[in-house]
């Protein structure tokens, strides 16, 4: 696999702190937004295009039509990012094996950030998400081809919402690499590209609202989702909802130590992202490309069930018999011990609970979404009016 880093850079670029080792593992294009000249750093390509980061990348790619066909993956980096050799090589090795269409390194806790979901979550290897920030995306050749024209429509904000739409159309997720972070060294809005945006009177808030209207309606929310986490590749340890939140608890302690109450609030935002805000991307176990990574696959319906925690109880009495029922891929009920609810199956399109003797106990034949959460209800097999429920849990 061939990788090209497209660095949008200018006079205050910090690339000299890392280029001496990065240029040995990938090609680099300097796309200047001012009159800088870093030819002594021996980039593979260099040119100047005024404008924002994304319009400059667009102009570089369009005016060098052979570039797309020469590389398999493109790193679209800003010039105030610091990356280590270990992070770059780790990401390259992962990408060369699993070939994700869209991914990005996480941000160290020392970084300036605007989206908490981008921060490194220890001790994870990576997270599967429906979001990657435009600060440092890494995209496949096919993904770049499908998004390059939108760089002109959404030159600063809004492009991530199009990427989410494109990921859904491709039935893929984005990855944020927690094991291989980078550091964002300047506060948000302080870079030269924001000055360019102001000079050109780009209304990036209006662009973001327009992108939401065009691409976010089908998801029912503009909120970002952490779909799952993985600690190790062999064997892949898939973590969702409560298990994921439990695993990343060390991140809270570190953020609180560094930032006090703001760190606690930031971690709260990360936790909120682990609650699925739609029922589309939580079908990820059905996405073909993830089978190689997770060694698991399921139908969209089953994926929506397996990836969640559930409240279980009597619907009419509004009683809760279990606060965190889960279901394993091999057909077992977890976190609840009763002979009537021991196995699960899909029968005639319905989710069904079975006893330890493999007898049907409840057929959940009604599904609805209430307050953004899935609710399944069904009649208990040994009763004429005892309706049981499974309600998607909150953390």
């Amino acid at each position: 696999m061939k990788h090209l880093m497209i660095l949008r850079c200018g006079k205050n670029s910090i690339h000299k702190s890392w280029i001496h080792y990065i240029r040995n593992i990938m090609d680099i294009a300097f796309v200047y937004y001012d009159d800088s000249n870093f030819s002594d750093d021996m980039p593979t390509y260099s040119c100047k295009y005024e404008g924002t980061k994304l319009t400059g990348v667009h102009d570089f790619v369009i005016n060098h039509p052979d570039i797309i066909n020469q590389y398999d993956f493109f790193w679209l980096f800003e010039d105030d990012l610091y990356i280590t050799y270990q992070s770059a090589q780790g990401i390259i090795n992962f990408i060369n094996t699993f070939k994700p269409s869209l991914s990005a390194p996480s941000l160290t806790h020392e970084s300036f950030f605007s989206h908490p979901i981008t921060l490194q979550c220890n001790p994870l290897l990576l997270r599967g998400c429906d979001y990657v920030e435009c600060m440092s995306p890494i995209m496949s050749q096919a993904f770049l081809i499908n998004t390059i024209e939108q760089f002109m429509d959404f030159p600063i904000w809004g492009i991530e919402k199009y990427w989410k739409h494109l990921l859904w159309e491709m039935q893929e997720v984005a990855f944020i690499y927690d094991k291989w972070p980078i550091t964002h060294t300047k506060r948000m809005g302080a870079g030269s590209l924001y000055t360019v945006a102001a000079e050109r009177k780009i209304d990036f808030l209006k662009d973001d609202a327009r992108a939401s209207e065009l691409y976010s309606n089908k998801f029912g929310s503009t909120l970002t989702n952490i779909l799952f986490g993985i600690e190790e590749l062999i064997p892949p340890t898939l973590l969702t909802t409560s298990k994921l939140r439990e695993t990343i608890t060390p991140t809270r302690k570190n953020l609180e130590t560094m930032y006090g109450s703001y760190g606690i609030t930031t971690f709260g935002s990360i936790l909120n992202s682990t609650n699925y805000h739609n029922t589309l991307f939580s079908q990820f176990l059905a996405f073909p490309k993830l089978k190689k990574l997770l060694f698991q696959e399921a139908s969209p319906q089953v994926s929506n069930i397996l990836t969640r925690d559930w409240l279980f109880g009597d619907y009419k009495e509004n009683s809760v018999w279990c606060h965190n029922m889960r279901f394993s891929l091999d057909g077992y009920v977890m976190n609840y011990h009763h002979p009537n609810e021991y196995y699960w199956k899909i029968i005639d399109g319905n989710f069904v609970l079975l006893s330890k003797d493999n007898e049907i106990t409840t057929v959940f034949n009604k599904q609805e979404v209430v307050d953004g959460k899935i609710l399944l209800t069904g009649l208990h097999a040994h009763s004429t009016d005892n309706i049981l429920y499974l309600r998607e849990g909150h953390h």
Side-chain angles (χ1 to χ4, degrees):
M1 299 285 108
K2 289 193 65 178
H3 295 247
L4 175 67
M5 177 182 285
I6 303 176
L7 182 70
R8 197 72 165 106
C9 57
K11 63 181 180 180
N12 295 318
S13 176
I14 68 164
H15 71 272
K16 289 183 180 293
S17 62
W18 50 257
I19 192 170
H20 54 292
Y21 48 80
I22 295 299
R23 67 185 172 210
N24 294 326
I25 57 177
M26 71 176 86
D27 289 350
I28 300 178
F30 287 168
V31 181
Y32 302 112
Y33 51 80
D34 59 22
D35 294 326
S36 297
N37 185 342
F38 303 127
S39 57
D40 57 327
D41 294 319
M42 298 180 292
T44 315
Y45 308 93
S46 63
C47 53
K48 176 186 174 182
Y49 294 103
E50 296 180 349
T52 71
K53 170 188 176 177
L54 293 178
T55 61
V57 172
H58 169 275
D59 292 345
F60 168 68
V61 172
I62 294 302
N63 288 297
H64 297 78
D66 293 338
I67 290 287
I68 287 277
N69 294 324
Q70 290 181 37
Y71 296 93
D72 302 290
F73 291 93
F74 298 83
W75 302 46
L76 312 187
F77 265 46
E78 298 176 7
D79 63 358
D80 57 355
L81 302 174
Y82 176 76
I83 185 169
T84 66
Y85 176 85
Q86 289 78 11
S87 286
Q89 189 63 68
I91 291 171
I92 287 174
N93 291 343
F94 181 89
I95 287 176
N96 288 351
T97 301
F98 296 102
K99 302 175 179 59
S101 290
L102 181 65
S103 62
S106 61
L107 296 179
T108 63
H109 294 176
E110 293 80 11
S111 296
F112 292 95
F113 66 94
S114 57
H115 302 282
I117 193 176
T118 62
L119 288 174
Q120 184 180 26
C121 285
N122 297 318
L124 297 179
L125 173 71
L126 59 82
R127 282 165 287 152
C129 304
D130 59 8
Y131 174 87
V132 157
E133 190 177 7
C134 67
M135 179 190 298
S136 54
I138 305 167
M139 55 188 65
S140 68
Q141 179 190 98
F143 199 91
L144 180 60
I145 290 172
N146 284 326
T147 191
I148 191 69
E149 292 305 326
Q150 278 68 35
F151 288 1
M152 302 301 289
D153 291 337
F154 303 102
I156 296 183
W157 284 7
I159 191 66
E160 297 100 337
K161 293 180 173 64
Y162 176 74
W163 290 347
K164 182 174 181 176
H165 156 80
L166 189 54
L167 284 168
W168 172 249
E169 293 295 312
M170 299 172 71
Q171 294 287 276
E172 294 194 34
V173 303
F175 294 122
I176 295 178
Y177 304 114
D178 294 296
K179 188 174 182 178
W180 305 300
I182 59 175
T183 299
H184 185 216
T185 63
K186 294 180 183 176
R187 64 179 176 82
M188 305 306 298
S192 301
L193 294 177
Y194 282 91
T195 303
V196 170
E199 292 172 352
R200 296 190 172 209
K201 295 182 171 54
I202 296 174
D203 191 338
F204 49 84
L205 292 176
K206 185 176 180 181
D207 285 346
D208 194 58
R210 180 165 55 90
S212 295
E213 183 177 348
L214 286 172
Y215 302 118
S216 297
N217 288 338
K218 60 175 166 290
F219 302 114
S221 171
T222 60
L223 296 174
T224 56
N225 292 277
I226 301 173
L227 306 169
F228 61 86
I230 292 179
E231 283 189 276
E232 299 292 340
L233 281 178
I234 304 175
T237 50
L238 180 67
L239 304 168
T240 61
T241 54
S242 61
K243 287 292 185 182
L244 176 59
R245 291 189 283 271
E246 179 183 335
T247 302
I248 64 174
T249 298
T251 298
R252 180 190 188 278
K253 187 173 183 179
N254 193 50
L255 289 173
E256 182 181 2
T257 300
M258 294 178 67
Y259 300 114
S261 59
Y262 179 66
I264 297 174
T265 302
T266 297
F267 185 71
S269 296
I270 295 173
L271 286 187
N272 185 49
S273 295
T274 67
N275 287 320
Y276 300 129
H277 299 291
N278 63 72
T279 60
L280 297 182
F281 274 99
S282 54
Q283 299 174 23
F284 65 83
L285 287 176
F287 294 177
K289 209 166 193 178
L290 283 179
K291 182 180 178 181
K292 182 177 180 181
L293 174 64
L294 301 177
F295 297 105
Q296 300 182 50
E297 62 177 332
S299 69
Q301 178 188 15
V302 170
S303 182
N304 266 329
I305 291 170
L306 298 188
T307 55
R308 287 170 161 80
D309 298 330
W310 299 91
L311 302 175
F312 174 62
D314 187 294
Y315 182 72
K316 289 184 177 180
E317 296 182 1
N318 198 30
S319 60
V320 181
W321 299 339
C322 181
H323 287 271
N324 63 335
M325 183 176 281
R326 291 181 65 88
F327 305 99
S328 70
L329 190 62
D330 54 356
Y332 288 92
V333 176
M334 299 186 294
N335 300 336
Y336 185 70
H337 305 286
H338 194 285
N340 283 344
E341 289 81 28
Y342 198 83
Y343 302 107
W344 69 267
K345 285 183 179 179
I346 300 294
I347 300 177
D348 297 329
N350 297 314
F351 185 75
V352 176
L353 291 178
L354 302 96
S355 71
K356 197 170 185 178
D357 298 324
N358 261 312
E359 295 182 357
I360 293 175
T361 55
T362 307
V363 177
F364 294 92
N365 56 3
K366 182 179 180 181
Q367 176 175 324
E368 55 189 320
V369 177
V370 180
D371 296 328
K373 300 292 182 179
I374 299 174
L375 173 65
L376 303 174
T377 54
L379 190 65
H380 194 276
H382 303 302
S383 171
T384 58
D385 62 352
N386 188 16
I387 298 175
L388 303 185
Y389 73 87
L390 285 166
R391 181 181 295 120
E392 182 180 351
H394 298 256
H395 74 78

